[in-house]
Amino acid sequence: MPKTVRIGAIIIICLLVVACLAPVLTPVNPLAVNMGEKLQGLSRQHPMGTDQLGRDVLSRVLYGARTSMAASFSVVIICLAVGIAIGCIAGFYGGVIDELLMRLVDIMMAFPPFILPIAITGILGPSLTNIIIALALTSWVGYARMVRSSVLTLKHLDFVAAAKAMGSSRSRIIREHIVPNAVHPLVVYAAFNASHTILAISGLSFIGLGAQPPTPEWGNMLSEACSFMGSSPYLFIFPGLMIMLTVLAFNLLGDGLRDYLDPRLGTEVDL
Amino acid sequence: MRKPLLEVKDLQIKFETKRGTIAVSDGVSFAIGENETLCLVGESGCGKSVVAVSIMGLLPAHARVAGEIRYREADLLQCSPGEWSRFRGREIAMIFEQPMSCLNPVISAGRQIAEAYAANNRCSKREALAEARRKLDEVGIPENCFVKFPHELSGGMQQRVMIAIALACRPNLLIADEPTAALDVTVQCQILELLHCLKDRYRMSMLLITHDLGVVAEMADTVGVMYAGTMMELSGVEDFFYRPGHPYSRALMNVVAGNALSPIRGSVPHLLEPVPGCPFHARCVDAVEQCRRARPQPRIVNGRMERCHHFTGDNSGRQLDQMVSSR
């Protein structure tokens, strides 16, 4: 397995652990305002300092991992579910169903990827849930396209005919034979989509459409830090580093997996 | 006479293509009794596999099928797709030529067998897996291969897994489309032996498609010779080998039984341009003017069917040993 996959996976696992164990790792409440300790620099008590309301930046960064990971994973999971279902139906049944679903995909693809979430939050109101819905609405199309194209090649393969010859029903063939074969190209796509989602969520939160203060989220921490950029740079350095680290981890994972899973690129053989 | 298990009557299969209609099967008829093996032989492209696939109801959508495929009391061609699929697996199962491509690459061997069993039986996952273990043992695969994936198995093992899958629901009719063509000669032998043994154990009937006359001699009760989509001869295995009737059968026999290699000259006519008269006349040593003009109709004498203008039912003058010695 390539080094990049391992590094990416390790970082992501660490982030997940951090997200899960945030209350244990930092006993300080990320929402606790303490005006007496506002904008303090790095200290033993507050390793990443405190913000303009005296909240502990470390605990906000750790709780921010929660928000970001939960949001990006929900988007990816929703997209996987919808994308696989729509892609399989379109690819396997073909004909009018395929035509209708693929035109829907085309319509969704015609929207610029950042405009639709902004429009949707404009309608539904800014909140993290609405951002998740908006991002899922724009990203499932890629999954559906990929699954459909795999299904189109898979359904003509001999083992599908053989399964049919064994009396398997259509739904059974899709479930047991098509889906397991169609998902592995999705793994790479999902990794890149996750990194993309993290950036999008941070970006949208930065402009005030995503997670609403006081929810600790890296994007809105950055936007709050803007006013104190000169005096307290640590306020945006740490959330910024976290965003970078997470995106990097998902990209390393996706890149590595692509090389690892692509049989055409000579991968090392484990002997 | 007892009622046959499978009866194919005047099966006509046509493919509509951009370049015209191709008749890949033209009036094929045969019957397979309980516990009987019918071997279909003939050159490549003679429509053997298409006939097999049509019995399974797996022909592509552009195929036009007419005639009658009767399994027990049911006429399969009159069945709805749903009704037909109830026969697959449970009543009729099929083994294909390329085990590698017919096995799902991402599912382990054991689970694929269990899946085939579960597809036709209401059962828990555990029951299906237990049944799969039994089947795997029956086809002679060691226990540790249960969790292996198809690419980790040899060709012979893969074919054994295919057989286990086909037998998962104890079908009454097994269709084997060149089950040994992709295998090594020694492995071929083992697989045939396995099929023979399982056929007796499960009291199955078998439709075996092969190029190999040795396999025919080993396995068949009845032999059907196909040429250019037509059934040229249908006779008992003894008759076929000792008193080959049709000139095409004799030519086939000549290829393998002679001391020197004696190929049949020419090649199978292209199905897009059907030849008038007997489809074999261009390559037939006995062809006369009548063969070029009129298509021979099937004639049945003494339980054997032939499509040949020369056929009278009396083959005493054409015995194989005479034929070989005369060369």
Side-chain angles (χ1 to χ4, degrees):
Chain A
M1 195 170 276
K3 225 177 253 166
T4 46
V5 177
R6 276 185 223 161
I7 297 174
I10 289 168
I11 300 177
I12 291 166
I13 290 168
C14 289
L15 284 166
L16 283 173
V17 169
V18 164
C20 292
L21 300 181
V24 183
L25 293 172
T26 158
V28 187
N29 183 350
L31 303 178
V33 176
N34 183 350
M35 293 307 276
E37 288 185 350
K38 69 171 184 182
L39 294 175
Q40 287 189 344
L42 315 187
S43 66
R44 181 159 294 192
Q45 209 191 344
H46 302 290
M48 291 186 186
T50 56
D51 66 3
Q52 71 285 2
L53 296 174
R55 296 174 295 193
D56 182 42
V57 176
L58 174 65
S59 74
R60 286 182 69 75
V61 164
L62 296 187
Y63 275 88
R66 249 183 188 192
T67 325
S68 294
M69 291 309 235
S72 72
F73 274 84
S74 339
V75 170
V76 169
I77 288 167
I78 294 171
C79 287
L80 276 173
V82 176
I84 289 174
I86 303 252
C88 277
I89 292 168
F92 196 80
Y93 291 98
V96 186
I97 302 172
D98 181 29
E99 202 64 29
L100 282 174
L101 290 173
M102 283 304 114
R103 294 301 77 79
L104 179 66
V105 165
D106 287 344
I107 292 169
M108 297 306 287
M109 275 186 162
F111 289 106
F114 223 68
I115 303 299
L116 198 59
I118 292 175
I120 290 171
T121 43
I123 300 163
L124 298 177
S127 84
L128 196 62
T129 326
N130 292 345
I131 280 294
I132 292 173
I133 294 171
L135 287 172
L137 265 177
T138 49
S139 346
W140 68 270
V141 288
Y143 292 79
R145 266 272 155 91
M146 284 186 72
V147 173
R148 174 182 173 265
S149 69
S150 324
V151 171
L152 282 182
T153 39
L154 284 167
K155 73 171 176 179
H156 295 296
L157 292 186
D158 289 346
F159 64 81
V160 173
K164 208 172 166 195
M166 276 317 299
S168 298
S169 62
R170 277 182 165 193
S171 62
R172 215 180 166 94
I173 289 175
I174 294 180
R175 204 159 21 121
E176 302 285 340
H177 294 283
I178 305 261
V179 171
N181 278 289
V183 289
H184 79 254
L186 280 187
V187 174
V188 177
Y189 189 79
F192 286 120
N193 188 234
S195 91
H196 206 264
T197 308
I198 299 240
L199 274 180
I201 290 170
S202 307
L204 289 164
S205 297
F206 183 82
I207 56 174
L209 295 174
Q212 295 303 300
T215 317
E217 204 282 336
W218 298 333
N220 69 36
M221 285 171 76
L222 280 181
S223 84
E224 285 171 13
C226 278
S227 340
F228 308 95
M229 217 182 220
S231 55
S232 313
Y234 57 87
L235 279 183
F236 70 83
I237 286 178
F238 292 114
L241 274 178
M242 288 305 277
I243 294 174
M244 199 196 81
L245 191 69
T246 318
V247 171
L248 178 74
F250 278 113
N251 281 347
L252 283 176
L253 185 74
D255 234 7
L257 280 177
R258 183 174 52 202
D259 293 349
Y260 183 58
L261 295 175
D262 191 344
R264 278 166 302 184
L265 298 171
T267 47
E268 302 153 80
V269 179
D270 294 326
L271 290 175
Chain B
M1 196 186 144
R2 278 165 61 213
K3 201 112 180 80
L5 181 70
L6 179 85
E7 204 174 358
V8 174
K9 272 189 209 155
D10 195 30
L11 183 67
Q12 314 259 358
I13 304 169
K14 292 191 172 72
F15 285 138
E16 310 281 350
T17 68
K18 280 179 192 147
R19 290 165 60 202
T21 305
I22 301 178
V24 278
S25 163
D26 187 5
V28 169
S29 307
F30 59 85
I32 305 177
E34 306 266 356
N35 210 4
E36 225 180 56
T37 303
L38 176 93
C39 279
L40 277 184
V41 294
E43 285 165 85
S44 299
C46 284
K48 307 184 297 291
S49 297
V50 173
V51 169
V53 170
S54 72
I55 296 169
M56 297 303 293
L58 296 176
L59 287 173
H62 62 278
R64 302 277 165 270
V65 189
E68 201 176 304
I69 300 175
R70 191 165 281 284
Y71 179 85
R72 294 231 161 105
E73 297 307 316
D75 183 357
L76 297 180
L77 289 178
Q78 306 302 322
C79 285
S80 70
E83 286 168 339
W84 203 331
S85 83
R86 248 174 278 146
F87 286 95
R88 293 187 206 122
R90 239 174 299 180
E91 300 289 345
I92 312 176
M94 186 160 177
I95 303 173
F96 298 86
E97 180 180 350
Q98 297 289 344
M100 183 65 199
S101 60
C102 289
L103 291 172
N104 190 334
V106 301
I107 304 181
S108 69
R111 272 195 51 211
Q112 295 204 39
I113 304 170
E115 158 63 22
Y117 182 73
N120 293 306
N121 294 285
R122 280 170 175 274
C123 64
S124 71
K125 208 159 197 171
R126 187 176 299 173
E127 279 165 24
L129 287 171
E131 179 65 25
R133 261 175 221 286
R134 276 198 291 281
K135 282 283 174 307
L136 209 58
D137 182 52
E138 245 172 61
V139 296
I141 297 183
E143 180 79 29
N144 64 344
C145 291
F146 192 82
V147 291
K148 288 204 174 158
F149 288 90
H151 69 271
E152 297 175 302
L153 300 171
S154 68
M157 289 286 212
Q158 289 170 357
Q159 195 58 285
R160 280 169 195 266
V161 172
M162 276 305 297
I163 293 172
I165 289 175
L167 296 184
C169 301
R170 296 170 161 267
N172 291 312
L173 174 66
L174 183 67
I175 301 177
D177 187 357
E178 301 191 35
T180 57
L183 303 173
D184 206 272
V185 180
T186 46
V187 181
Q188 280 187 8
C189 222
Q190 296 166 5
I191 294 289
L192 286 172
E193 201 159 301
L194 177 71
L195 278 176
H196 208 113
C197 168
L198 290 171
K199 181 195 156 238
D200 287 344
R201 189 183 308 165
Y202 286 102
R203 283 192 215 88
M204 286 185 296
S205 305
M206 194 144 81
L207 172 63
L208 182 66
I209 295 171
T210 180
H211 289 297
D212 191 337
L213 291 182
V215 173
V216 176
E218 195 76 25
M219 309 284 287
D221 297 309
T222 319
V223 185
V225 182
M226 283 194 70
Y227 186 82
T230 316
M231 189 70 97
M232 288 306 208
E233 171 169 355
L234 189 67
S235 56
V237 66
E238 304 248 313
D239 278 341
F240 176 74
F241 278 104
Y242 292 108
R243 293 169 290 279
H246 198 281
Y248 181 54
S249 311
R250 278 184 286 142
L252 281 179
M253 204 67 79
N254 235 342
V255 176
V256 289
N259 297 325
L261 192 65
S262 59
I264 310 174
R265 294 195 185 284
S267 58
V268 184
H270 199 288
L271 292 173
L272 263 179
E273 295 131 22
V275 286
C278 172
F280 187 59
H281 78 255
R283 302 167 76 188
C284 183
V285 284
D286 297 336
V288 293
E289 188 50 37
Q290 189 191 12
C291 301
R292 278 179 265 279
R293 277 188 285 105
R295 194 172 184 79
Q297 289 307 307
R299 263 179 274 182
I300 302 172
V301 180
N302 291 336
R304 73 190 292 182
M305 186 284 285
E306 270 184 46
R307 265 180 198 264
C308 181
H309 291 303
H310 299 301
F311 179 57
T312 54
D314 171 29
N315 290 323
S316 53
R318 312 182 191 167
Q319 293 217 350
L320 178 67
D321 31 31
Q322 283 181 7
M323 193 177 77
V324 173
S325 62
S326 68
R327 281 178 44 233

